[in-house]
Amino acid sequence: MKPGFFVKEALRSIRRNPIPSFAAMASMLVTLLVLGVFIPMVQATTGAANTVRGRVLLDVYMQRDATSSDIARVRARIDNNTPHVKKVEYVSKGQAYKQESARNPEAYKLLGSNPLPDTFRVTPDDPDNIGAILNSLAPRNTAGHRQLADQSIERVRNEKDQTDKILTVTKLVKWAMVILTSLLVLASVLLVSNTIRLSLFSRRREVEVMKLVGATDWFIRWPFMIEGVALGAIGGVMAVLLLAVGKVALIDPLSNDFALIAAPKTMPFFALAALLLGASVAVSAAGSGLSLRRFLRV
Amino acid sequence: MAATEIQRKPVAQPERRQPDPNAVIEFRGVSKTYESGDVGLENATFSIARGEFVFIVGQTGSGKSTIMRLLLKEHETTGGRIVVAGRDLSEIEDKKVPYYRRNLGVVFQDFKLLPNRTVHDNVAYALQVTGRSRKEIRAKVPDILRLTGLATKLHNYPDQLSGGEQQRVSVARAFVNHPPLLLADEPTGNLDPETSIGIMQLLYRINRTGTTVLVATHDSHMVDRMRRRVIELERGRIVRDEADAMYGRRGGGRDLSTSEFGALMRGEPAPEPQRMPKDPFDEVDEAWR
């Protein structure tokens, strides 16, 4: 192996084919730019959607006169006999009264006594499973009415309208993001591999001649791959630089004013840059190596 | 262990001839049928000895190119055996094909030069693929280009050269490794008659260094003049294989000098025997072997 020779061959090829080289680099640059803008956007959106979904809860109100044994029984029921429960929080009458009166002291002073029941706040493992919990604690009877599973439970309440709305909207957002992302990734891979293939296709005669002179496959392949990786890396570095400029010039000043942009769930810029660079090098190496395989069969 | 060795002995196949130790190329009942059903070659048997200069003639589609492709191992035979320098081509693995090809010099009708490289780099590439050192390349390439008359075109690109010059580059590239066997597929097909003579002179000189030369052509005029062994093909079959009886009549059986050869090719009367002009190719043998 002669790395120096291969690198020289790759550089010669870039110099002698400036237009295809530029096209490959530019397509890599554009693709990475779009991805680099899009990935944080997807993360921010799904992060926001997940926060909203995390707020979906089910409240189980006990009868006012529930005894401590009733409470223990219901808690055991929720803990052991109810599916999809992630977390149960018990709020006693006293705690609830303290919380509510702290929030609204005058109203509760007027009231005099504590009208609040003991409550279990049930968090489902997945917001979509809230219906299953509801069905377990208050199954429907044959007539279609809900019947409570324990007589000491007064009411099971989930903010139905609100929950449904949150679930549909966030689901929609997530799916839209998944579809958009996969389309974008697919388009970028096709764009890059097509550009590489075009530039190789214009040189298939060259490959043929090399083979007839007795060059081994890897002797032909190395310069092509080095060339592809070099172009991919140049495109990647330029994309990262542009993204950094955009981040410093646009996003950072705005993030002080807008909460959405400052959404904490996006990955750090350094990781994003490393990911984009790695992807550009890997895709261009694989792209040129694989595309070349067709022309090597002489 | 002993048992397997006994089985391998050629005695087991009495009909198989021992390879001719002098033969560089041996075709034994070689057939090639393409996937499309076209017959490229049918039951061809011939052998070419070391140092021979052989023409393969025939019309387009008669099988000349098939023989070249089979020898280059671009295609596999569908029957029979090809032995080159004692090696059965069917036994060479795909991975080893590049190494096999380095023993062949190849010249094509369309030159097949690398368009992005200078004359020098085109010739150097044939050395680079074999992993030769830069020092060796710097020594050999200008030498061979001088011998082929391209010393002034070193840094030109192929598209800046005439057809004849391009073909000279191609010959230089084929010969720079000093292969034992040189294949030329219609080397003069794209050239005018006078330029063709120049190329044939070049091949003749290469042949005189001891390299076996195999030329496929449909230029019967040139073949008749040159009076070398001719293998004629027709629709994939060998219809004639003769070491031309005319050979050596005018030259009196001795080797012709390059200028005598050129005169012969042009159909001029042979120049009076005179002190042979110094032909640098005649020294190639001593210098490089």
Side-chain angles (χ1 to χ4, degrees):
Chain A
M1 286 295 113
K2 292 180 173 174
F5 172 74
F6 292 137
V7 169
K8 233 167 62 190
E9 286 287 290
L11 291 181
R12 173 224 292 276
S13 171
I14 292 175
R15 232 186 11 251
R16 294 288 305 173
N17 303 287
I19 304 265
S21 302
F22 178 76
M25 198 203 67
S27 69
M28 187 60 86
L29 170 68
V30 169
T31 305
L32 289 184
L33 263 186
V34 174
L35 275 180
V37 170
F38 209 71
I39 288 174
M41 261 174 62
V42 169
Q43 283 186 318
T45 327
T46 53
N50 277 336
T51 323
V52 174
R53 283 162 69 87
R55 290 190 198 131
V56 171
L57 289 174
L58 192 77
D59 283 341
V60 178
Y61 298 109
M62 300 300 289
Q63 300 280 9
R64 297 282 315 280
D65 54 358
T67 62
S68 57
S69 68
D70 287 337
I71 289 164
R73 194 177 63 241
V74 170
R75 157 164 280 183
R77 182 181 192 90
I78 295 173
D79 277 347
N80 302 326
N81 286 340
T82 314
H84 303 303
V85 174
K86 182 174 149 204
K87 202 177 81 185
V88 185
E89 191 192 350
Y90 173 67
V91 183
S92 72
K93 285 181 213 180
Q95 286 166 332
Y97 183 73
K98 237 184 255 165
Q99 282 172 15
E100 292 296 312
S101 59
R103 201 184 294 166
N104 221 339
E106 278 154 34
Y108 278 86
K109 205 176 275 173
L110 272 175
L111 220 55
S113 67
N114 178 7
L116 298 170
D118 297 312
T119 314
F120 290 100
R121 310 212 118 142
V122 182
T123 313
D125 56 358
D126 186 314
D128 291 327
N129 291 329
I130 199 158
I133 299 177
L134 185 62
N135 283 339
S136 165
L137 292 174
R140 288 179 191 280
N141 62 15
T142 43
H145 297 294
R146 290 217 178 260
Q147 200 132 45
L148 294 166
D150 193 296
Q151 75 268 9
S152 64
I153 296 177
E154 201 235 325
R155 198 150 71 93
V156 178
R157 196 184 67 151
N158 65 335
E159 313 290 341
K160 186 157 183 2
D161 289 352
Q162 210 186 329
T163 311
D164 284 355
K165 246 181 240 162
I166 290 174
L167 287 183
T168 32
V169 170
T170 55
K171 214 181 274 176
L172 212 68
V173 170
K174 274 189 158 180
W175 276 111
M177 285 301 171
V178 166
I179 291 170
L180 269 175
T181 315
S182 32
L183 277 180
L184 201 66
V185 168
L186 188 72
S188 5
V189 169
L190 286 181
L191 183 67
V192 170
S193 74
N194 214 31
T195 316
I196 291 172
R197 190 175 302 177
L198 269 181
S199 78
L200 283 182
F201 186 74
S202 67
R203 283 189 274 169
R204 67 194 187 289
R205 266 187 53 105
E206 205 175 320
V207 172
E208 189 194 339
V209 175
M210 291 172 175
K211 288 221 71 167
L212 287 175
V213 181
T216 55
D217 285 358
W218 276 105
F219 193 87
I220 298 170
R221 194 177 269 149
W222 273 120
F224 276 104
M225 285 187 66
I226 292 172
E227 183 187 343
V229 168
L231 291 174
I234 293 173
V237 167
M238 284 176 67
V240 166
L241 286 180
L242 283 177
L243 283 174
V245 168
K247 181 180 149 68
V248 171
L250 291 175
I251 309 292
D252 286 351
L254 282 180
S255 64
N256 296 328
D257 303 330
F258 293 99
L260 180 71
I261 295 174
K265 292 270 168 55
T266 54
M267 69 165 88
F269 185 75
F270 179 74
L272 180 69
L275 179 82
L276 291 182
L277 271 182
S280 70
V281 169
V283 166
S284 45
S288 42
L290 289 179
S291 311
L292 198 59
R293 220 172 41 173
R294 278 187 42 213
F295 303 123
L296 283 175
R297 282 192 215 114
V298 178
Chain B
M1 181 106 176
T4 52
E5 262 172 30
I6 287 166
Q7 278 178 344
R8 268 194 211 139
K9 279 195 176 167
V11 183
Q13 293 154 295
E15 83 281 1
R16 201 170 108 181
R17 284 184 301 158
Q18 278 296 310
D20 180 352
N22 278 326
V24 173
I25 301 175
E26 265 202 284
F27 272 55
R28 285 193 219 139
V30 175
S31 299
K32 171 68 185 174
T33 312
Y34 289 99
E35 273 164 35
S36 58
D38 297 336
V39 175
L41 204 59
E42 220 179 311
N43 199 21
T45 302
F46 61 89
S47 100
I48 294 173
R50 195 174 302 281
E52 259 191 292
F53 193 119
V54 181
F55 281 110
I56 297 179
V57 297
Q59 308 220 308
T60 311
S62 59
K64 303 188 301 280
S65 292
T66 302
I67 288 181
M68 292 297 177
R69 294 216 173 101
L70 290 174
L71 280 170
L72 271 172
K73 211 168 151 63
E74 268 189 78
H75 294 315
E76 300 293 324
T77 57
T78 44
R81 269 155 53 89
I82 302 176
V83 181
V84 175
R87 283 160 91 192
D88 189 330
L89 287 200
S90 62
E91 282 166 12
I92 298 176
E93 304 164 47
D94 282 356
K95 267 190 174 173
K96 300 282 180 202
V97 169
Y99 302 97
Y100 161 70
R101 285 185 183 158
R102 291 174 194 176
N103 298 317
L104 309 175
V106 204
V107 178
F108 294 96
Q109 179 174 7
D110 54 354
F111 321 135
K112 292 207 195 292
L113 299 174
L114 297 169
N116 287 335
R117 286 162 208 264
T118 60
V119 167
H120 175 277
D121 291 353
N122 259 288
V123 177
Y125 193 79
L127 290 171
Q128 281 159 346
V129 297
T130 60
R132 303 292 177 82
S133 71
R134 207 178 300 172
K135 195 176 145 205
E136 202 179 342
I137 290 169
R138 215 176 292 152
K140 277 193 174 175
V141 174
D143 237 15
I144 192 91
L145 286 174
R146 193 166 42 78
L147 291 177
T148 46
L150 290 162
T152 56
K153 308 281 183 180
L154 225 58
H155 301 295
N156 289 43
Y157 285 90
D159 55 7
Q160 299 166 327
L161 301 179
S162 71
E165 285 166 337
Q166 290 189 50
Q167 194 60 297
R168 279 169 185 276
V169 178
S170 166
V171 172
R173 180 183 63 190
F175 191 59
V176 69
N177 273 323
H178 291 277
L181 176 60
L182 192 127
L183 307 176
D185 192 359
E186 301 274 8
T188 58
N190 281 351
L191 306 176
D192 60 74
E194 185 57 33
T195 317
S196 299
I197 289 171
I199 295 295
M200 289 315 295
Q201 271 181 310
L202 203 51
L203 293 178
Y204 175 73
R205 289 156 86 186
I206 286 173
N207 175 238
R208 289 214 316 190
T209 68
T211 298
T212 311
V213 177
L214 186 61
V215 181
T217 183
H218 62 257
D219 186 348
S220 56
H221 198 63
M222 185 173 68
V223 175
D224 289 346
R225 285 255 166 76
M226 242 175 116
R227 292 167 193 172
R228 297 289 155 147
R229 179 173 167 196
V230 174
I231 296 174
E232 189 174 348
L233 293 166
E234 218 179 281
R235 274 181 249 115
R237 290 177 167 279
I238 293 178
V239 293
R240 177 162 73 110
D241 179 359
E242 52 191 60
D244 198 320
M246 303 271 284
Y247 172 64
R249 178 186 286 177
R250 193 193 284 176
R254 65 181 172 84
D255 272 353
L256 300 171
S257 76
T258 309
S259 55
E260 284 173 309
F261 175 83
L264 177 67
M265 293 294 288
R266 290 186 190 91
E268 295 162 0
E272 283 302 305
Q274 51 180 305
R275 172 158 286 206
M276 264 202 224
K278 194 93 170 127
D279 183 352
F281 250 86
D282 293 345
E283 286 165 9
V284 164
D285 257 3
E286 296 91 63
W288 273 337
R289 278 182 195 242

